[in-house]
């Protein structure tokens, strides 16, 4: 495997830094299982969501661009690029999910995962799954459905446009996208979404 260390290191910094580290006194958390109707404006006002999507997209693009197959590689080493990429993506999503300042909770990294998909895959493959996941999660009033919907649609559309050669990178990518949903099933932590409070917590 050939590695551009400057781009790879930059990708790691962008992807593996938990967004929760930048949550200040004005950031609150709301379980995604509860109604968001009265909180939409506060969620959208939190600029960290936009930053999260942007740095995930840039980090994903740098990660893909930093790793190249070695023509001389044999056996399992031929897949080292995909395995390394998949490991970084899964670790990144896990860090964004589990590093949370709300006690006994975990983040629902909607914007991070969306940005990641656009960074790692082409817009042709990424756009429709993200849009469909938003529609399904919003229309069904089940935000948790965002992650499995995005994961499965990404795989199906990737195979449609990329063929069998895309199976390995798609399986690894969809596994990373599915992690927040799986974590909600396996661990006793509520998935929460962050929003901007009207006034800081002085406690």
């Amino acid at each position: 495997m050939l590695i551009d260390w400057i781009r790879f290191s930059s990708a790691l910094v962008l992807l593996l830094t938990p967004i929760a580290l930048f949550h200040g006194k004005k950031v609150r958390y709301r379980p995604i299982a509860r109604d968001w109707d009265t909180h939409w404006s506060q969620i959208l006002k939190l600029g960290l969501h936009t930053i999260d999507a942007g740095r995930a997209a840039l980090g994903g693009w740098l990660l893909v661009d930093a790793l190249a197959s070695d023509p001389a590689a044999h056996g399992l080493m031929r897949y080292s690029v995909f395995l390394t990429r998949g490991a970084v993506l899964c670790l990144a999503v896990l860090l964004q999910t589990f590093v949370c300042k709300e006690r006994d909770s975990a983040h629902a990294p909607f914007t991070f995962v969306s940005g990641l998909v656009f960074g790692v895959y082409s817009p042709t493959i990424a756009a429709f799954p993200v849009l469909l996941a938003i529609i399904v999660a919003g229309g069904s009033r089940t935000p948790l459905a965002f992650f499995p919907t995005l994961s499965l649609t990404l795989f199906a559309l990737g195979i449609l446009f990329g063929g069998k050669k895309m199976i390995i990178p798609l399986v690894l990518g969809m596994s990373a996208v599915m992690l927040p949903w799986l974590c909600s099933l396996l661990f006793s932590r509520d998935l929460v979404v962050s929003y901007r409070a009207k006034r800081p917590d002085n406690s």
Side-chain angles (χ1 to χ4, degrees), residues 100-120:
C100 181
K101 292 184 178 180
E102 181 76 353
R103 188 176 178 181
D104 297 326
S105 298
H107 280 124
F110 295 112
T111 55
F112 181 85
V113 165
S114 299
L116 204 59
V117 169
F118 274 100
V120 173

Side-chain angles (χ1 to χ4, degrees), residues 101-165:
K101 292 184 178 180
E102 181 76 353
R103 188 176 178 181
D104 297 326
S105 298
H107 280 124
F110 295 112
T111 55
F112 181 85
V113 165
S114 299
L116 204 59
V117 169
F118 274 100
V120 173
Y121 303 100
S122 69
T124 303
I125 294 176
F128 180 74
V130 171
L131 179 60
L132 181 63
I134 292 172
I135 293 173
V136 170
S140 65
R141 292 182 177 269
T142 310
L144 193 58
F146 177 89
F147 300 105
T149 301
L150 176 56
S151 180
L152 296 174
T153 311
L154 177 67
F155 181 79
L157 208 64
I159 293 296
L160 179 64
F161 284 101
K164 293 182 179 180
K165 65 179 181 180

Side-chain angles (χ1 to χ4, degrees), residues 161-199:
F161 284 101
K164 293 182 179 180
K165 65 179 181 180
M166 289 289 292
I167 288 181
I168 295 178
L170 284 169
V171 166
L172 295 172
M174 70 177 288
S175 298
V177 171
M178 190 80 79
L179 282 174
W181 176 69
L182 291 175
C183 291
S184 72
L185 298 179
L186 296 174
F187 301 96
S188 57
R189 290 191 180 189
D190 290 328
L191 282 177
V192 298
V193 62
S194 54
Y195 65 93
R196 183 178 178 84
K198 294 180 179 179
R199 58 185 64 180

Side-chain angles (χ1 to χ4, degrees), residues 48-59:
L48 288 174
H49 292 308
T50 303
I51 293 173
D52 217 20
R55 58 110 177 197
L58 178 57

Side-chain angles (χ1 to χ4, degrees), residues 1-147:
M1 179 172 62
L2 306 176
I3 304 176
D4 182 328
W5 286 104
I6 294 178
R7 296 191 178 190
F8 186 64
S9 300
S10 300
L12 293 182
V13 171
L14 288 168
L15 297 176
L16 301 185
T17 303
I19 195 64
L21 297 180
F22 303 98
H23 286 168
K25 293 181 178 180
K26 277 201 168 186
V27 174
R28 300 286 188 280
Y29 306 94
R30 188 171 184 81
I32 66 171
R34 296 176 62 184
D35 191 6
W36 294 3
D37 289 350
T38 59
H39 284 73
W40 273 118
S41 62
Q42 291 168 284
I43 292 171
L44 295 175
K45 283 179 182 177
L46 184 60
L48 288 174
H49 292 308
T50 303
I51 293 173
D52 217 20
R55 58 110 177 197
L58 178 57
W61 177 78
L62 286 171
L63 178 65
V64 172
D65 207 44
L67 304 176
S69 299
D70 186 345
H74 297 286
L76 191 61
M77 292 304 294
R78 292 181 299 170
Y79 303 101
S80 59
V81 169
F82 299 125
L83 295 176
T84 301
R85 185 192 305 169
V88 172
L89 294 179
C90 288
L91 180 59
V93 174
L94 285 174
L95 285 171
Q96 306 311 316
T97 302
F98 280 109
V99 179
C100 181
K101 292 184 178 180
E102 181 76 353
R103 188 176 178 181
D104 297 326
S105 298
H107 280 124
F110 295 112
T111 55
F112 181 85
V113 165
S114 299
L116 204 59
V117 169
F118 274 100
V120 173
Y121 303 100
S122 69
T124 303
I125 294 176
F128 180 74
V130 171
L131 179 60
L132 181 63
I134 292 172
I135 293 173
V136 170
S140 65
R141 292 182 177 269
T142 310
L144 193 58
F146 177 89
F147 300 105

